[in-house]
Amino acid sequence: MSRLLHRDDAPPVPANELFVRSADGSRIHVELHGPEDAPAVVLAHGWTCNTHFWAAQIRDLAADHRVIAYDQRGHGLTPEPGPGGYSADALADDLEAVLAATLAPGRKAVLAGHSMGGMTLMAAARRPGLREHAAAVLLCSTGSGRLAAEALVLPLRASAFRTRLTVAVLGAKAPFGPVTPVSKKLLKYVTMGVGSAPERVDVCARIVHACPRRARVGWGHVLAELDVTADVRELRVPTAVIAGTDDRLTPPVHARAIAAALPVGLGLTELPGMGHMTPLEAPEAVTAKLRELTTRYVAPGTVGNTAATAATSDEEDVA
């Protein structure tokens, strides 16, 4: 292993990688980390991110967990989508495809989603795949609707005008350009708490700026209109919620509403001073919650991952 990969902000090297086919034929990039027969955790990242966003959780958990992380369509190593394009249904389709390809029938896992990843889990709440495989859920820094109306990115009083401007920001086509001191300062203001460590801001900036513009814009339009509020009440597995008190993109009002609506809620953890990127800003807290959920809800020594082997062979033939 190269010296670079020992850095705390370097992405962990997966035990295996594969591409799975979603319902519309889109190829979804998946990474598998850790022992195959260990308690499983599935990680869904948010808008403009990729699997590297979960690096801290993967490094910690992969020692004694099977960690499954995937790139949302158009992000990371997952290419532009097929006919299904960008939609809440596509998010749910992709998650079901990942679960089917990486978990043996009936095998349970803790599913965690940050931001758009949390919306993915809510959008999939009624899906057979989620109900088959979800032992528990962790929702980090997310919302189920009214995202543009509630966002505090623009320092204006709540109004229809502020909402329209926020929608325009979410769908802006202007390129982000290179990572610079100015761009990092702006990104920190929008996505992170005031006290975020410079090295974590730098990691966040490199991840977000790597997102292809078409995916950023396409998903930005979806998020501006997204409403999965009714699906929250269908998430019928033990579900914990985490939010940063200084989150400008999905303020704590969202987390409180979700926590109140969950059928099997495990409570809300509000992290003082943290912004929107809680798994990156407060990795210890998020990882600890994941460990707590697997210890409580996923039995050790679970069934081996036979489905992943078949999926890998299939995709090697396709590729």
Side-chain angles (χ1 to χ4, degrees):
M1 184 180 296
S2 71
R3 186 174 181 180
L4 174 63
L5 293 179
H6 288 283
R7 287 173 44 193
D8 287 343
D9 64 345
V13 177
N16 200 358
E17 293 182 85
L18 59 144
F19 284 86
V20 303
R21 293 285 184 184
S22 191
D24 67 341
S26 295
R27 299 174 76 241
I28 309 300
H29 171 251
V30 185
E31 297 179 1
L32 307 174
H33 301 260
E36 186 174 338
D37 61 350
V41 176
V42 179
L43 304 175
H45 68 74
W47 182 46
T48 73
C49 296
N50 55 52
T51 58
H52 296 172
F53 182 79
W54 297 105
Q57 286 72 41
I58 293 171
R59 273 194 300 270
D60 187 296
L61 294 172
D64 52 3
H65 287 72
R66 184 61 157 178
V67 184
I68 300 158
Y70 70 99
D71 286 320
Q72 301 273 21
R73 54 176 60 200
H75 293 73
L77 296 180
T78 294
E80 285 291 310
Y86 302 109
S87 69
D89 282 341
L91 291 173
D93 287 342
D94 297 349
L95 175 65
E96 279 202 300
V98 170
L99 296 177
T102 60
L103 297 172
R107 184 179 180 182
K108 297 293 186 179
V110 169
L111 312 185
H114 167 257
S115 190
M116 191 173 78
M119 298 164 203
T120 300
L121 302 184
M122 290 181 275
R126 306 169 195 260
R127 297 293 186 95
L130 183 138
R131 293 186 173 180
E132 177 184 359
H133 293 293
V137 164
L138 177 61
L139 301 174
C140 300
S141 307
T142 191
S144 62
R146 291 180 51 81
L147 301 177
E150 300 288 358
L152 303 176
V153 172
L154 300 175
L156 301 171
R157 186 177 59 182
S159 64
F161 176 68
R162 188 185 75 176
T163 299
R164 288 196 300 272
L165 284 182
T166 303
V167 169
V169 170
L170 290 174
K173 295 181 179 180
F176 277 177
V179 176
T180 67
V182 172
S183 67
K184 285 194 289 187
K185 185 175 182 179
L186 177 60
L187 184 72
K188 180 181 177 181
Y189 167 79
V190 172
T191 68
M192 305 180 80
V194 174
S196 295
E199 60 270 21
R200 290 179 179 172
V201 176
D202 184 65
V203 170
C204 182
R206 286 189 275 117
I207 291 172
V208 171
H209 280 245
C211 179
R213 178 167 53 173
R214 289 185 62 174
R216 171 171 56 83
V217 173
W219 283 119
H221 287 301
V222 172
L223 296 179
E225 303 296 333
L226 183 136
D227 186 354
V228 291
T229 303
D231 297 306
V232 176
R233 292 184 288 276
E234 299 297 325
L235 199 54
R236 298 173 185 170
V237 295
T239 301
V241 184
I242 285 180
T245 60
D246 293 351
D247 187 342
R248 291 186 173 91
L249 281 173
T250 54
V253 62
H254 291 291
R256 294 167 192 155
I258 291 170
L262 287 167
V264 193
L266 299 177
L268 165 62
T269 301
E270 295 194 29
L271 302 175
M274 296 296 108
H276 183 66
M277 302 298 199
T278 45
L280 183 58
E281 294 180 80
E284 298 85 359
V286 172
T287 303
K289 182 60 69 173
L290 287 168
R291 282 191 171 276
E292 176 187 326
L293 293 174
T294 57
T295 299
R296 185 173 177 184
Y297 296 104
V298 183
T302 48
V303 179
N305 198 346
T306 55
T309 303
T312 305
S313 300
D314 177 67
E315 284 305 312
E316 286 175 351
D317 291 341
V318 172

